[in-house]
Amino acid sequence: MLAVALAAMWVWQWSSRETAYPPVEYSQAYDWIASGAVASVILKGQALTGKLRGSETVRGQQVVSFQTVLPREDPALLPLLREKKVEIRVATEEQPFAIQLLLGLAPWLLVIGAWVWLSRRAGKMMASGGPLGGILKPRSRRFEREAARRVTSDDVAGLKSAKQDLGEIVQFLGEPERFRRLGGKVPRGVLLVGPPGTGKTLLARAVAGESGVPFFSISASEFIELFVGVGAARVRDLFAEAKKSQPAIVFIDEIDAVGRARGAGLGGGHDEREQTLNQLLSEMDGFSRSDLTVVIAATNRPDVLDPALLRPGRFDRRVVVDRPELAARRAILAVHTRDKPLAPEVDLDALARSTPGFSGADLANLANEAALGATRRGASAIGPGDFATALDKIVLGDPREARLDPPERHRVAVHESGHAVVAHFTAQAEPLRRVSIIPRGMALGVTQQTPAGDRYLMTQPQLEARLRVLMGGYSAERSVLGSISSGAESDLKQATEIASRMVARFGMSERLGPVYCEHQAEHPFLGQRIATEGATSDATTQAIEAEARALLGRALEDASRLIEEMRPALDRLVQGLLETETVERDELQTLLGARPGGGASPVAAAR
């Protein structure tokens, strides 16, 4: 085939060679035609090749033929040629013979090349299950015993309850006969449920490392392929390979990609995802009592999973992997900083207290950002300032170079001071940590409050205090400046969501009483908010909106009254922000004075 291509190229080069004619300007050629010196011409597209009756001198050389490029339009040329009795011949622009040859041979060359490639791959493809073996083969990654032992439960900080639940899996896979004597059997499936970044995948790897068995890892989205039936075939092959290596663990990450509830309205019963799910259900239900293959799956959307996937006999155990609490955050920070040089004044306990709601991945990112910051400033160890800067970058974003004009800068200072004053003088609100008018991320300013500890419940007074704090910026703009701006949009959105939940879900409305009203639900397949028919009547929806509006109105009245009472403190804080742009906790105490009582509930109002 290569020889044919080389031969075709040689023929093309040979056939494309034409007699070289010296090029001349069109004006020179026109003068020769007008003087009668031209005997004949050949017109080919925009090119004119002429033959002289004698010879002429062109750039010091005697020529008898010439070539020039014709202009787009010259109506006088043809009449002049006829007048001077010049022989005219018109040639068509034909493709060279070699080009025609290549165009004719190209399809055959492609067919022959494809046949040769397929014939060479036939053996490997047949060995893997036929012509589509390369597509049907599961894309799972197998971690052998030695590799699996690199991760153990010691590498997973926190998650004590989750590790305890999975400890039985480790013991069973290590000592199956001990449990079989009493008739016990290994759970066929363990579902890890929790927010993103909480360590679900790491926990599954730790189980494999502790038990010392082969570990097959795959993402559920890798089952899905363009061709119908490929996902089901990959599931079959994956479980067949795991059974050959039993005892073994199969880990399916983000199982909601294929495990969503069936009958969602897209694709019907022939949808590729549903076929894959049906095969997965069959494989998990088909384990024998002596089968030592355990399926561990992870998801952050258990609400959308098919009920058949969650029944006993498939996923027998559900393990909640939640965001770490204070002690767990301290342990996670210790794990992620054990290979990093820390300055003596770094206090991991204080850092753990300042990161409520952070997941394990967030804490790892915090340690990494602090290390990068210390590297940029050329330090030999990571200091508290590096962690503070990294925390601000993660929570608030990088400072923006937004140059506000003086009126806008003053308005932002008034807005943030309103949040701060209401938060400082509201007993149930969180203590202030910092107020800044430096633009960060999408916010022009920020009011940060320090959580006093981990909190899992919110009382009605605490939620009402949060509403007042969110309304503080809106109220301050209206009271001090006499008008409001678009900067309160985010505050109003958060306040409206809180008020609606208080009325419709938390039973904190005397008018509606202790009821739960769901007037919006999430489509299990589309993953978007849709109206739910019959869930809440129109009258109840109107009552919810009216009660939420009343809550917001009372919060605005309370915030406005507090702003008026503490106007001198607000003015001092506004002036301090305009001078320094950022006011920290100690200086806030000086500017605002004593704070009445304390509370504990994280809240941040930013704009």
Side-chain angles (χ1 to χ4, degrees):
M1 188 170 58
L2 180 61
V4 173
L6 292 176
M9 292 295 296
W10 180 82
V11 172
W12 173 70
Q13 292 181 357
W14 178 82
S15 61
S16 62
R17 291 185 299 176
E18 298 180 357
T19 305
Y21 299 104
V24 298
E25 300 294 336
Y26 176 72
S27 58
Q28 178 65 63
Y30 191 90
D31 292 341
W32 285 343
I33 296 172
S35 63
V38 179
S40 62
V41 296
I42 301 175
L43 299 177
K44 185 177 182 181
Q46 292 294 117
L48 181 146
T49 304
K51 185 177 180 181
L52 300 171
R53 301 183 186 275
S55 64
E56 298 288 345
T57 302
V58 178
R59 289 182 287 276
Q61 296 182 358
Q62 294 292 322
V63 298
V64 296
S65 299
F66 65 92
Q67 192 174 56
T68 188
V69 178
L70 297 176
R72 290 185 177 274
E73 295 183 3
D74 190 351
L77 178 61
L78 287 178
L80 180 63
L81 291 173
R82 296 191 189 96
E83 179 184 348
K84 299 300 180 180
K85 308 296 183 181
V86 177
E87 180 182 350
I88 303 174
R89 186 158 59 92
V90 179
T92 59
E93 295 188 37
E94 296 183 355
Q95 293 180 339
F97 169 75
I99 298 297
Q100 299 179 17
L101 179 63
L102 285 178
L103 291 177
L105 291 177
W108 295 101
L109 293 176
L110 291 176
V111 171
I112 295 173
W115 180 81
V116 172
W117 182 80
L118 288 175
S119 64
R120 291 181 178 179
R121 296 282 295 176
K124 296 181 180 180
M125 296 175 69
M126 293 300 294
S128 60
L132 294 178
I135 298 178
L136 301 180
K137 185 177 180 181
R139 300 179 180 180
S140 60
R141 292 161 293 281
R142 173 171 174 168
F143 300 88
E144 298 295 340
R145 297 174 184 264
E146 293 75 9
R149 286 197 181 97
R150 296 175 185 173
V151 179
T152 63
S153 59
D154 295 335
D155 300 310
V156 184
L159 303 178
K160 292 182 179 179
S161 59
K163 289 192 289 187
Q164 184 177 358
D165 289 337
L166 292 173
E168 292 183 4
I169 306 296
V170 175
Q171 295 178 10
F172 189 95
L173 292 176
E175 302 176 90
E177 296 301 328
R178 175 187 172 190
F179 291 85
R180 286 173 178 169
R181 285 199 305 267
L182 300 178
K185 62 179 181 179
V186 65
R188 297 181 179 178
V190 179
L191 183 64
L192 304 179
V193 178
T198 51
K200 298 184 291 294
T201 303
L202 182 63
L203 192 60
R205 291 287 305 275
V207 172
E210 294 285 346
S211 59
V213 301
F215 181 76
F216 297 85
S217 174
I218 189 171
S219 176
S221 60
E222 297 182 52
F223 287 123
I224 306 301
E225 193 60 74
L226 173 66
F227 304 103
V228 176
V230 170
R234 285 179 174 171
V235 171
R236 286 193 299 269
D237 292 343
L238 172 61
F239 281 92
E241 187 176 355
K243 290 177 183 179
K244 292 178 183 178
S245 305
Q246 65 174 309
I249 294 176
V250 175
F251 176 64
I252 305 176
D253 199 8
E254 305 294 345
I255 195 172
D256 49 277
V258 295
R260 288 176 178 258
R262 290 167 291 184
L266 293 180
H270 300 288
D271 183 72
E272 169 68 0
R273 285 181 176 83
E274 293 193 7
Q275 293 191 27
T276 304
L277 174 59
N278 292 336
Q279 185 62 42
L280 179 61
L281 297 175
S282 176
E283 293 291 341
M284 293 189 67
D285 200 33
F287 287 167
S288 64
R289 294 184 62 88
S290 60
D291 198 339
L292 294 180
T293 303
V294 177
V295 180
I296 300 178
T299 181
N300 52 19
R301 297 294 310 280
D303 55 308
V304 302
L305 295 180
D306 193 278
L309 197 62
L310 302 176
R311 73 159 177 82
R314 292 198 173 107
F315 283 106
D316 305 276
R317 184 169 298 182
R318 180 181 297 190
V319 177
V320 178
V321 186
D322 205 352
R323 290 186 174 90
E325 55 187 14
L326 179 60
R329 292 198 299 274
R330 171 64 174 80
I332 293 173
L333 285 171
V335 169
H336 291 299
T337 57
R338 62 189 177 189
D339 58 344
K340 297 177 175 63
L342 300 181
E345 57 271 20
V346 172
D347 186 357
L348 294 183
D349 293 326
L351 189 59
R353 287 193 297 270
S354 63
T355 53
F358 272 44
S359 65
D362 294 330
L363 295 172
N365 187 34
L366 174 64
N368 184 64
E369 288 290 346
L372 294 177
T375 302
R376 282 192 294 268
R377 65 184 182 88
S380 58
I382 306 173
D386 298 315
F387 282 104
T389 302
L391 182 60
D392 290 341
K393 180 177 182 179
I394 293 173
V395 176
L396 306 176
D398 287 321
R400 288 191 290 129
E401 296 182 1
R403 296 185 176 274
L404 302 179
D405 55 25
E408 285 186 339
R409 191 165 177 266
H410 182 255
R411 181 175 290 274
V412 173
V414 170
H415 185 104
E416 298 304 329
S417 297
H419 287 308
V421 167
V422 175
H424 186 74
F425 293 103
T426 300
Q428 293 290 340
E430 191 91 0
L432 288 171
R433 175 192 173 193
R434 174 193 299 165
V435 181
S436 174
I437 58 172
I438 298 176
R440 287 178 176 269
M442 299 300 295
L444 298 179
V446 63
T447 300
Q448 286 184 281
Q449 295 172 262
T450 305
D454 295 328
R455 179 168 294 277
Y456 304 99
L457 293 175
M458 297 284 289
T459 64
Q460 184 172 355
Q462 290 168 348
L463 289 172
E464 290 174 349
R466 174 178 282 190
L467 291 180
R468 288 194 290 272
V469 173
L470 289 170
M471 288 295 182
Y474 180 96
S475 176
E477 287 191 48
R478 188 178 64 175
S479 175
V480 176
L481 302 176
S483 64
I484 57 177
S485 68
S486 60
E489 177 186 3
S490 178
D491 301 329
L492 296 178
K493 178 181 179 182
Q494 294 182 51
T496 303
E497 291 177 353
I498 293 174
S500 298
R501 286 176 175 268
M502 291 174 64
V503 173
R505 300 188 179 185
F506 302 155
M508 297 178 181
S509 168
E510 294 182 0
R511 177 180 175 185
L512 270 72
V515 297
Y516 179 91
C517 300
E518 179 66 85
H519 53 281
Q520 281 189 334
E522 185 162 300
H523 194 289
F525 194 87
L526 296 177
Q528 64 185 14
R529 304 294 290 181
I530 59 173
T532 306
E533 295 183 2
T536 304
S537 65
D538 292 339
T540 303
T541 301
Q542 293 177 2
I544 291 172
E545 294 175 354
E547 284 292 288
R549 190 175 291 110
L551 276 175
L552 295 175
R554 289 195 295 270
L556 179 60
E557 290 178 3
D558 294 340
S560 299
R561 183 170 56 254
L562 196 54
I563 291 293
E564 292 297 332
E565 293 176 359
M566 301 299 172
R567 179 64 182 271
L570 185 140
D571 293 337
R572 290 195 301 269
L573 182 54
V574 169
Q575 187 61 33
L577 286 173
L578 293 175
E579 292 175 358
T580 63
E581 292 189 329
T582 300
V583 180
E584 299 291 345
R585 177 184 304 171
D586 296 338
E587 191 176 355
L588 283 169
Q589 296 291 333
T590 302
L591 291 174
L592 299 180
R595 182 175 189 267
S601 175
V603 58
R607 174 50 62 186

